[in-house]
Amino acid sequence: IHRRLTHARTHTHEMPRTIVVIGATGDVGRGIVGALLAAGEHVIAVGRDVARLEAIGAAFSASAPQFKTVVGSVANDADAAALAEQMKAAAPEGIDAIVTSVNSPRGPARLVDMPTEKVSQLPDSNVLVHLAAAKALVPVLAPGGTYLSIGGGACEFVWPNFGILSIGQSAQRMMFRVLAGEFHDSHPGVRVWELILFAFIVGESNRHTDAAHAPHSMTDEEVGRHVAAILAEPEGFATEAPILQLKSREQIGKPFQ
């Protein structure tokens, strides 16, 4: 019954959905977890750091008994496959959506000053993590489910000294265009999308610093509300698919026009 109802659920759904958030302890992931719990969903938060998972568990569990935390990784194919088995055990009734918010930090560097060998590794490190996650976890989704990867707006512009970030995010965007087509053939009815954030995200790690006042910023909670809206009414965002964009606060909860 659960699997048949999954595709038809909307904002007014009577049954809460089961949603996995990978990278839940990061700024973006934490905001997504909070927004989904506020919407009444059952959330499984995944992260590699036990202490940070315990902290997020302490923050949300008291007010959200439907909240679970799982230690896991998608760093490579083996880790991602192991996590997929953990998810099957944690949600035997099925998983309606998976959000992957993982990112390898990049320090500032001019591309022309970097050894070619290092340049060749940096974009791959993040792209391959997202690939490992999608390959292992899309098959775990219930029919009609949604897999949503979080990407960055540097795929369309270059910040000074962060050219390698633009290269990696551009590659990730193209990879999800490819994956959307390939999974459409092998797992019809399952959505494989990327949401690109065109803003500096203010979250737990920088909320009380000068970075919180950066122009064109957006809070983790605002990103979370937008993700919750996408997962609640994916049909309303389908015209953007497979690459969705969030460019301003005014757009939160609505497709990009």
Side-chain angles (χ1 to χ4, degrees), residues 45-58:
V46 178
R48 296 184 295 177
D49 189 302
V50 175
R52 293 177 71 184
L53 269 181
E54 289 175 348
I56 196 174

Side-chain angles (χ1 to χ4, degrees), residues 19-40:
I19 300 174
V20 174
V21 180
I22 300 170
T25 61
D27 285 338
V28 174
R30 189 183 179 107
I32 293 169
V33 167
L36 292 173
L37 289 173

Side-chain angles (χ1 to χ4, degrees), residues 174-245:
M174 182 55 70
M175 182 180 73
F176 272 94
R177 286 179 172 151
V178 172
L179 290 177
E182 293 185 351
F183 279 119
H184 175 76
D185 296 335
S186 61
H187 294 75
V190 170
R191 305 172 194 86
V192 178
W193 293 351
E194 182 183 40
L195 171 64
I196 298 177
L197 307 178
F198 289 86
F200 179 85
I201 306 304
V202 178
E204 192 71 16
S205 70
N206 58 14
R207 206 180 309 278
H208 305 294
T209 69
D210 291 341
H213 307 291
H216 310 296
S217 64
M218 193 174 297
T219 69
D220 54 350
E221 187 270 341
E222 289 170 327
V223 174
R225 286 195 287 116
H226 191 68
V227 169
I230 292 169
L231 298 183
E233 293 280 4
E235 292 82 1
F237 294 82
T239 55
E240 283 190 78
I243 306 300
L244 283 58
Q245 302 178 75

Side-chain angles (χ1 to χ4, degrees), residues 60-94:
F60 291 118
S61 294
S63 59
Q66 71 275 30
F67 179 55
K68 299 179 183 178
T69 60
V70 172
V71 177
S73 172
V74 291
N76 52 53
D77 284 345
D79 286 350
L83 180 60
E85 293 304 314
Q86 288 177 274
M87 293 301 96
K88 292 176 187 178
E93 75 283 0

